Amino acid sequence: MTSTSTGELPLRSLILVNPKRLPARFELGVLACAFLLAALIFYLDTFTDIHSALATLYVITLLLSAETLTERGTLLLTAICISLAVFSYLAAHGLHADLAATLRLAVAVAAMLITCALIIRNQRARADLMTFNAALQSSEERYRTIFEQSRVALWERDYSQVRAMLTALKANGVRDLGAYARDNPHFLEQCIASVPTVAANAAALELLGNVSSDNARSMRRFIAQNDATFLDLIEAIFDNRTHFEGKGSIITSNGTNKLVLLTVGFPEDPANFNRVIVGMFDITEREMAQKALFEAQSELALASRAATVGALSASLAHELNQPLGALVVNAQTLLRWLDRDPPDLEAVARSAERIVRDSQRASDIIQSTRSMLGKREPVREQVSLVELVGETRALMEGELARHRITFETRAASPLPSVSAVRIELQQVLINLISNAIQAMNETPDESRQIVVSIEPASAASMSLSVHDGGPGLSADILANLFKPFHSTKETGLGMGLAICRSMLEARGGSLTASNHPEGGALFEMTVPIEALDD
């Protein structure tokens, strides 16, 4: 930094601080000339007999020093000049001057004051302009830093020619630019050639395959032939939109295809279309990952459908096993009654009725399963749980007898009916009773008992519980009891309880399992009294 003497500081505070000011010696020379001119005017005005407005010439002194002095210095010089003019007036005319001399003084003072005001206004305007230019330069430097150092591929492109072409087309009556482009195959090529690149940052050059700045000035070689994104961009300009975003493809310098996300912000002032910022993001890996995800989801959906078919097959096999087994037993019984001599026709008729009943139940199971798979809702009806338990006991009478199991129904009276799908409730009850029978294979005959209890669970639902005399359920079994394909039986599929719970929950009910305080397992299902809104 250049050192400054102490004597220069007051003078420097009056000289205009301008980063592009003239050299200090020249400034001092200009001030010296201005003061010499002021001294000459003072001499002529005071010590000569020239009767004219010589004091007005002080304006030249002010104008001469305007580019050198600060606002404070200009005010001080103006005050000095006015003081000299007044002193000259008093020295020449005293207090009894004529009207003409007074008017000359007033004109000179007014001229100096007006000149001072204009100089100060000019200085302030120049200072504001310098501040604005400095801020503009700083903003440009920040923009350039962001533009050059950003890891986002950025271009500055000149769309002014394209905009002029589009404006001319619109003036000629073109309304559908897409149709115009189809009718004029060379239109897009002409548009691409009319968009030169003003600047491109390092990330943009890297995206194009580490090309040089000169090679990136035209995007014609990098835009894929079948890419429609550029047409969409041109339509955005045609429609006077302020922003455009779209996916496109480019061809790098080494021939690699890349998918990019293109973003463009258009200026409001048409004059600024000569420098439009264009950003590109390489989304090739993202799109490939998304494609792989879609393929994996498709494979997962296919596997899910296969699993659904398998689960449905297992479900039907499980549900149809009991009625088909009953059909076989009743058919064998019917044949035995026919083999008697004479045949017992009454027993044959009872067996035939049971065959019809079991066949109908198998058909109902299939229809119920089809309803669950399709959009058709099964028909609800008012079902008496006491009557349902009685019908189910009659269906399983043979199996209960073979396993020497006593069956007891406990129900308060009267009980409200429930709104349910009868075949579904009966399927659940048959599953629970069948499981109870199988759980008591090792139980002594005197303890083989199944108790079905029916009672209100709440004001809106009924409870039906099945309690057996078996060994109960261990903690491990309880934790996995309702999971599909989990079974404690060697030949079991593990679908029965899962299906039962799903059917009840679909109708607003529930199914729980626990151990009875007196021993054995306790299964409780709740059924809504009124049908729930779907």
Side-chain angles (χ1 to χ4, degrees), residues 100-253:
T102 304
L103 288 176
R104 287 196 297 271
L105 175 63
V107 170
V109 171
M112 286 185 281
L113 290 174
I114 292 172
T115 302
C116 177
L118 292 175
I119 290 173
I120 291 176
R121 189 182 70 173
N122 181 64
Q123 289 177 343
R124 289 179 178 179
R126 184 173 62 179
D128 291 341
L129 181 60
M130 292 172 60
T131 302
F132 175 78
N133 287 336
L136 182 62
Q137 183 177 3
S138 177
S139 175
E140 179 70 16
E141 290 176 356
R142 287 196 302 270
Y143 163 75
R144 281 296 160 193
T145 301
I146 295 172
F147 183 85
E148 295 295 340
Q149 298 182 4
S150 174
R151 293 309 303 157
V152 177
L154 296 175
W155 283 265
E156 280 185 349
R157 291 184 183 152
D158 185 355
Y159 282 90
S160 57
Q161 298 180 48
V162 168
R163 189 181 184 281
M165 291 169 53
L166 297 177
T167 303
L169 289 177
K170 190 178 292 186
N172 291 332
V174 176
R175 294 293 177 263
D176 189 345
L177 190 64
Y180 180 84
R182 288 190 296 271
D183 296 337
N184 298 270
H186 300 294
F187 171 70
L188 277 183
E189 184 68 19
Q190 184 181 0
C191 289
I192 294 174
S194 301
V195 184
T197 298
V198 179
N201 66 359
L205 301 179
E206 181 181 349
L207 178 65
L208 297 180
N210 294 315
V211 300
S212 64
S213 300
D214 294 336
N215 292 333
R217 292 195 177 278
S218 175
M219 288 296 294
R220 181 185 302 179
R221 57 175 293 195
F222 301 106
I223 298 177
Q225 293 293 329
N226 58 349
D227 187 69
T229 309
F230 190 78
L231 176 59
D232 297 336
L233 173 61
I234 298 301
E235 287 182 337
I237 300 176
F238 187 78
D239 296 335
N240 295 322
R241 281 183 265 168
T242 59
H243 184 265
F244 171 79
E245 181 174 309
K247 293 181 183 179
S249 59
I250 60 172
I251 303 174
T252 63
S253 59

Side-chain angles (χ1 to χ4, degrees), residues 357-500:
R357 178 195 63 195
D358 293 332
S359 300
Q360 183 60 47
R361 195 158 67 85
S363 176
D364 292 342
I365 291 172
I366 293 174
Q367 290 298 326
S368 177
T369 304
R370 291 182 63 185
S371 297
M372 285 189 291
L373 291 175
K375 296 182 179 179
R376 184 163 50 89
E377 186 70 17
V379 179
R380 293 175 182 263
E381 57 182 303
Q382 293 298 316
V383 180
S384 169
L385 293 181
V386 176
E387 293 179 0
L388 182 70
V389 172
E391 293 174 3
T392 306
R393 177 179 180 177
L395 288 172
M396 305 189 69
E397 185 176 358
E399 191 171 358
L400 292 169
R402 281 197 304 274
H403 290 84
R404 300 177 302 279
I405 295 174
T406 59
F407 190 97
E408 180 182 356
T409 302
R410 298 176 182 175
S413 183
L415 291 173
S417 59
V418 296
S419 178
V421 180
R422 177 181 291 272
I423 185 62
E424 290 181 357
L425 285 186
Q426 195 167 62
Q427 282 180 256
V428 174
L429 188 55
I430 289 174
N431 268 283
L432 296 181
I433 294 174
S434 298
N435 289 342
I437 292 173
Q438 295 172 16
M440 292 186 289
N441 283 336
E442 305 297 330
T443 303
D445 290 353
E446 62 274 9
S447 300
R448 293 189 179 188
Q449 182 181 19
I450 295 177
V451 179
V452 178
S453 301
I454 307 169
E455 59 186 1
S458 66
S461 62
M462 295 291 294
S463 169
L464 190 152
S465 60
V466 178
H467 172 216
D468 62 51
L473 304 169
S474 65
D476 292 340
I477 294 176
L478 277 173
N480 301 290
L481 192 61
F482 294 101
K483 292 182 178 179
F485 302 106
H486 180 82
S487 177
T488 58
K489 309 166 191 173
E490 293 184 359
T491 59
L493 293 174
M495 291 297 299
L497 291 176
I499 295 170
C500 292

Side-chain angles (χ1 to χ4, degrees), residues 36-69:
L36 287 175
L37 178 62
L40 177 60
I41 295 170
F42 175 74
Y43 175 79
L44 294 174
D45 192 28
T46 305
F47 300 106
T48 65
D49 294 332
I50 301 175
H51 298 290
S52 62
L54 288 175
T56 309
L57 297 178
Y58 285 117
V59 170
I60 300 176
T61 301
L62 295 176
L63 294 175
L64 188 62
S65 60
E67 295 295 327
T68 305
L69 297 180

